[in-house]
Amino acid sequence: MRHPCGQPPQLSRETWQHGGVTSATHSPLFPRESDSGQIVTPPRDADAVLDGLDPEQREVATALHGPVCVLAGAGTGKTRAITHRIAYGVRAGILQPAGVLAVTFTNRAAGEMRGRLRQLGAGGVQARTFHSAALRQLQFFWPKAVGGELPRLLDRKVQLVAESAARCRIRLDRNELRDVTGEIEWAKVTQTVPADYPAAVAKSSREAPRDAAEIGQIYGMYEQLKRERSVIDFEDVLLLTVGILQDRHDIADQIRRQYQHFVVDEYQDVSPLQQRLLDLWLGDRESLCVVGDASQTIYSFTGATPDHLLNFRTRHPSATVVKLVRDYRSTPQVVHLANGLLNQARGRAAEHRLELISQREPGPEPVCTEYADEPTEAEGTARRIRDLIAAGVPAGEIAVLYRINAQSEVYEQALADAGVPYQLRGAERFFERQEVREAGAALRGAARFGDNDSLLDDVVELPSQVRAVLSTKGWTTEPPAGSGAVRDRWESLAALVRLAEDFVRAKPSATLADLVAELDERAAAQHAPTVQGVTLASLHAAKGLEWDAVFLVGLTEGMMPITYAKTDEQIEEERRLLYVGVTRARLHLSLSWALSRSPGGRASRRATRFLNGLRPGSVAPGARGAGAGAGGGGSVERAGAARRKRRGPVVCRVCGKTLTEAGEMKLMRCEDCPSDMDEALYERLRDWRADQAQQLSQPAYCVFTDKTLMAIAEAVPGSAGELAGIAGVGSRKLDRFGADVLAICAGEERAEADRDS
């Protein structure tokens, strides 16, 4: 069913807009920056640079002295604010164009910044990525600091990593190679040397793609081979620049004379190494402006950290802090949902969240849709997209966003079937991926020579044949731990296994040859070249982009948050990832999930916890259940229904896996699946249990086991019926301890009177 999502219908526009804050006016003397890339007439003087800015943007633009921290929410015009700030300083004669260095994280963002500065009459300002700026300095100062020519820069480090692994007698397949390379990059940007890598991984709760000691060994050999061959990599550009500036004060002074003012965009994404370089550029000066949003920190796996943004006022007590919260991108309805997501966030970044205020006219409500299975979800999404295109929304202004790239296949197929053009961003099309091509070749060979293939000797059923063939290509019944290329490869192969299962369900007599023909047809249909089409992208690849219509799909527990997000920090980063997805939408927003993977499958999935309290029929975290306080009848009936349901197989409420261990069945989740347990509540329950056990002269587990207390702390029951629905809480214990437990869950003092001893 489709429902308006996240919008209580009684709220007025004034409520969404916090009293109807007015949007900025735009002077006809100063046209907006051209989206088409055409050159516009620069403002006539410094004051004209400020025309068209809202009050907060104007405050940013005129704060030219001392440290400045701009906390800029999604869609609030941060690039506009900082480029106008630089241009105003230049046009007013306060900043010298050649003395300003603006740094960001992508060539696209740096190019956009340079273009805007030219339009504003400040074309002499340097706008570069950290690496580009450091490389220019390294090339210029290397002869003076070290002598000779700068070592050759490696285009790609993968080949050298492969050779390093071979020297260490460690075998890596293509995907492991990518993951180990990523680990080396992470180690270098966090300034971790090879010998310290295992300890650093353990301290950071990072999921290494294989044994940390082995990776440390490969990392050490990689560094040795670079020295022997006089080559450097991308990260060395920053490391060597830092080393020269630390050791050669004369060179550091020369750079500081060149650049008197620094601007850093996307400051929530800086790594420790980039921050070290920035500190050396600055010296003891404070002529720095940083811009960022801790709620959009989604790249911690690469070494990015929001700590430098969050600690800015501590390091610079005299800093001017400006908050940009007027959202010019999204409608009040979309903004309200985005704010709701962050209102439930926890952790340090959440303490600094920004409450956005939409400056647009109201639009359609976001829509939440629950589907029976994934193919139906994809088909429903394709139909809605086709309707939007028919209504006049350009295909290029529509995006389908998902958590991992392996989810794209079913949407590629559904859009192709619906005749909707599409384009993938940040990933190859499903059937163009190396592992899928290799798997297709293996299946084709098995279909042709199956009678002579020992793999298929004892395998008759089509899905089992596919599993047997793909097991030679890296597919296993259980996914590999953590994220990375190995996990991506497994997800692609698992998608082929699921496709085979669905195919034989629709066509029971199908053979392996029939499946191969089906795969070939799908590949041919989806290889048709498209120029203007719907964007398919992962949530990470969508950062920095925006569309008129956004479809956020596959929003189930185990996918959002992803299964391997285990710590509180990792869970919160997943929430921020969904927030980034929501804030990509200008006008139309759809959120959907499927209860089952395939048609006819068990409806064991549930919508992401991040939408609790925001989607129809859900309860916000910590809130009482729907029937709380409504009388005992309804609650008891729900509890009885819950018990009746448990007579069948019990499945994990996070990942959907069938549970067999008694402790896991009590928790209703796998032991290693992420927990949303209230730790403080759990400790209060343990203290209460210890008192009870002492009074009764019984072991603590006779009151409630640890697993039952954990289940209570996760469910936070608000009524007797909800408490009775938790495994381990029988009628006798409910009568004896129920009042105490419910009082503790409600944050009250436990009942003391009328207790049976």
Side-chain angles (χ1 to χ4, degrees):
M1 292 180 63
R2 282 170 49 184
H3 301 281
C5 182
Q7 287 295 315
Q10 71 273 18
L11 287 181
S12 66
R13 178 188 174 198
E14 285 71 27
T15 302
W16 286 323
Q17 296 195 329
H18 293 230
V21 175
T22 57
S23 61
T25 57
H26 294 277
S27 167
L29 299 177
F30 180 38
R32 299 176 188 235
E33 290 88 346
S34 170
D35 293 331
S36 64
Q38 297 176 347
I39 295 180
V40 297
T41 304
R44 63 184 181 276
D45 54 29
D47 289 340
V49 172
L50 303 178
D51 290 346
L53 300 181
D54 69 29
E56 294 78 26
Q57 292 171 344
R58 182 181 286 254
E59 185 179 355
V60 172
T62 54
L64 295 172
H65 301 285
V68 178
C69 179
V70 182
L71 302 176
T76 57
K78 68 179 179 64
T79 305
R80 180 180 179 83
I82 58 175
T83 52
H84 282 68
R85 177 182 186 274
I86 295 170
Y88 177 71
V90 169
R91 299 293 295 274
I94 299 171
L95 302 177
Q96 297 302 312
V100 179
L101 177 59
V103 288
T104 187
F105 285 84
T106 67
N107 289 321
R108 181 181 65 82
E112 179 186 0
M113 195 177 292
R114 287 194 297 270
R116 292 198 186 196
L117 288 169
R118 282 195 300 269
Q119 293 170 357
L120 294 169
V125 172
Q126 292 290 311
R128 297 184 173 275
T129 65
F130 270 100
H131 284 87
S132 173
L135 182 59
R136 280 171 60 95
Q137 294 173 15
L138 196 60
Q139 290 169 330
F140 184 81
F141 290 109
W142 185 268
K144 179 179 180 180
V146 181
E149 292 186 2
L150 180 69
R152 180 174 61 88
L153 181 63
L154 281 172
D155 292 330
R156 295 174 68 248
K157 58 173 69 72
V158 171
Q159 186 173 351
L160 198 59
V161 174
E163 186 176 343
S164 302
R167 291 275 188 100
C168 297
R169 300 184 183 279
I170 298 172
R171 184 183 178 88
L172 300 177
D173 65 25
R174 182 174 58 87
N175 292 282
E176 289 177 317
L177 189 57
R178 282 173 51 197
D179 286 343
V180 170
T181 301
E183 287 301 293
I184 291 174
E185 291 172 351
W186 173 83
K188 298 185 77 165
V189 300
T190 55
Q191 302 176 84
T192 303
V193 298
D196 295 341
Y197 171 79
V201 167
K203 183 178 179 181
S204 66
S205 301
R206 188 176 180 83
E207 286 271 8
R210 59 183 299 143
D211 182 71
E214 289 185 343
I215 295 177
Q217 188 180 357
I218 296 170
Y219 178 18
M221 179 59 69
Y222 170 77
E223 292 297 312
Q224 179 181 324
L225 289 179
K226 284 198 293 112
R227 288 191 297 270
E228 290 175 359
R229 297 174 187 182
S230 190
V231 294
I232 60 175
D233 62 25
F234 209 48
E235 290 71 41
D236 288 331
V237 170
L238 300 184
L239 284 164
L240 290 170
T241 305
V242 165
I244 288 174
L245 296 183
Q246 285 180 160
D247 295 342
R248 293 291 300 268
H249 298 293
D250 56 329
I251 293 176
D253 289 341
Q254 189 173 342
I255 289 177
R256 290 166 191 158
R257 286 194 298 271
Q258 168 69 45
Y259 296 114
Q260 291 87 39
H261 190 79
F262 296 86
V263 177
V264 185
D265 193 14
E266 302 287 3
Y267 192 57
Q268 77 277 355
D269 288 334
V270 295
S271 69
L273 179 56
Q274 289 164 332
Q275 180 62 47
R276 181 64 186 135
L277 178 59
L278 179 62
D279 290 340
L280 289 165
W281 281 341
L282 276 166
D284 58 1
R285 301 167 300 172
E286 289 195 314
S287 187
L288 169 68
C289 174
V290 300
V291 189
D293 179 8
S295 297
Q296 295 188 69
T297 306
I298 59 173
Y299 297 112
S300 67
F301 59 91
T302 67
T305 171
D307 290 347
H308 306 296
L309 176 66
L310 299 177
N311 294 336
F312 194 82
R313 280 292 294 271
T314 302
R315 296 187 66 193
H316 305 278
S318 63
T320 299
V321 178
V322 184
K323 295 182 179 180
L324 301 183
V325 296
R326 302 176 192 242
D327 188 328
Y328 298 97
R329 175 188 299 158
S330 304
T331 62
Q333 288 79 1
V334 172
V335 166
H336 183 68
L337 180 57
N339 286 337
L341 275 174
L342 291 189
N343 286 341
Q344 299 177 7
R346 291 177 289 183
R348 189 155 179 247
E351 295 171 3
H352 296 264
R353 62 181 175 267
L354 299 170
E355 185 95 1
L356 299 179
I357 306 170
S358 176
Q359 303 299 293
R360 293 192 55 172
E361 291 297 317
E365 304 284 359
V367 173
C368 281
T369 312
E370 184 174 273
Y371 292 96
D373 52 72
E374 286 182 8
T376 304
E377 181 181 9
E379 291 164 6
T381 300
R383 281 196 304 272
R384 291 198 59 209
I385 289 173
R386 190 172 56 191
D387 292 343
L388 282 175
I389 293 173
V393 179
E397 287 295 344
I398 302 173
V400 178
L401 306 181
Y402 34 74
R403 178 60 180 85
I404 59 174
N405 286 323
Q407 292 174 273
S408 75
E409 190 276 333
V410 67
Y411 292 94
E412 293 178 53
Q413 182 64 40
L415 291 172
D417 289 346
V420 176
Y422 67 87
Q423 54 188 340
L424 266 78
R425 182 179 182 87
E428 298 170 296
R429 291 183 177 184
F430 182 79
F431 287 102
E432 292 175 354
R433 295 171 194 165
Q434 180 71 23
E435 61 268 25
V436 175
R437 291 202 303 269
E438 292 174 356
L443 292 170
R444 195 172 292 108
R448 186 176 302 134
F449 305 111
D451 292 342
N452 299 317
D453 192 335
S454 60
L455 271 175
L456 306 181
D457 283 349
D458 301 317
V459 181
V460 177
E461 182 193 21
L462 176 58
S464 298
Q465 292 177 333
V466 172
R467 294 186 198 103
V469 173
L470 297 188
S471 66
T472 67
K473 298 298 178 183
W475 180 83
T476 55
T477 55
E478 294 295 326
S483 58
V486 173
R487 178 71 181 230
D488 290 344
R489 177 185 177 87
W490 184 91
E491 293 284 2
S492 294
L493 297 179
L496 288 174
V497 172
R498 293 195 297 269
L499 195 151
E501 293 169 349
D502 296 342
F503 184 63
V504 79
R505 190 176 291 111
K507 191 177 179 181
S509 61
T511 65
L512 194 55
D514 294 330
L515 176 65
V516 169
E518 171 74 8
L519 295 178
D520 288 343
E521 286 183 17
R522 290 184 177 222
Q526 295 177 37
H527 282 175
T530 57
V531 177
Q532 169 77 344
V534 173
T535 298
L536 297 180
S538 70
L539 287 163
H540 282 104
K543 177 74 166 65
L545 304 175
E546 58 187 79
W547 295 269
D548 284 344
V550 169
F551 291 79
L552 301 175
V553 299
L555 300 180
T556 60
E557 286 288 317
M559 192 59 73
M560 176 57 66
I562 199 75
T563 304
Y564 49 77
K566 300 185 186 302
T567 67
D568 289 344
E569 289 182 2
Q570 291 168 340
I571 295 293
E572 286 305 314
E573 183 154 337
E574 293 286 299
R575 187 195 306 275
R576 295 194 294 269
L577 191 56
L578 181 57
Y579 172 78
V580 166
V582 167
T583 55
R584 300 310 95 193
R586 299 189 192 106
L587 182 61
H588 303 279
L589 177 63
S590 173
L591 305 97
S592 64
W593 59 92
L595 298 177
S596 172
R597 180 184 59 74
S598 57
R602 179 186 297 275
S604 57
R605 294 177 172 180
R606 63 188 178 103
T608 172
R609 72 191 72 170
F610 299 146
L611 294 180
N612 288 347
L614 300 175
R615 62 182 178 86
S618 65
V619 179
R624 295 290 184 93
S635 297
V636 172
E637 183 179 348
R638 284 196 302 278
R643 285 200 188 95
R644 286 194 295 273
K645 287 178 183 175
R646 286 199 192 100
R647 289 175 184 169
V650 179
V651 297
C652 174
R653 57 187 170 83
V654 178
C655 70
K657 178 183 175 183
T658 299
L659 303 177
T660 56
E661 296 291 330
E664 293 183 340
M665 294 170 70
K666 189 165 288 187
L667 287 175
M668 292 293 289
R669 63 172 174 82
C670 300
E671 192 77 49
D672 56 354
C673 277
S675 167
D676 50 2
M677 182 177 71
D678 185 331
E679 296 283 353
L681 173 57
Y682 178 65
E683 291 303 321
R684 292 199 302 274
L685 288 168
R686 281 175 59 88
D687 292 341
W688 165 83
R689 183 184 65 175
D691 291 342
Q692 289 295 312
Q694 184 176 5
Q695 290 178 28
L696 298 172
S697 299
Q698 292 180 340
Y701 66 80
C702 290
V703 181
F704 286 120
T705 66
D706 284 348
K707 286 291 194 299
T708 299
L709 292 187
M710 290 174 67
I712 293 171
E714 290 185 0
V716 194
S719 67
E722 293 172 2
L723 179 58
I726 296 173
V729 183
S731 58
R732 184 177 63 84
K733 291 189 177 182
L734 181 65
D735 292 339
R736 193 167 199 176
F737 306 124
D740 275 6
V741 171
L742 290 174
I744 294 169
C745 289
E748 304 164 0
E749 294 295 325
R750 62 180 185 265
E752 292 293 340
D754 300 322
R755 184 187 297 118
D756 291 330
S757 299

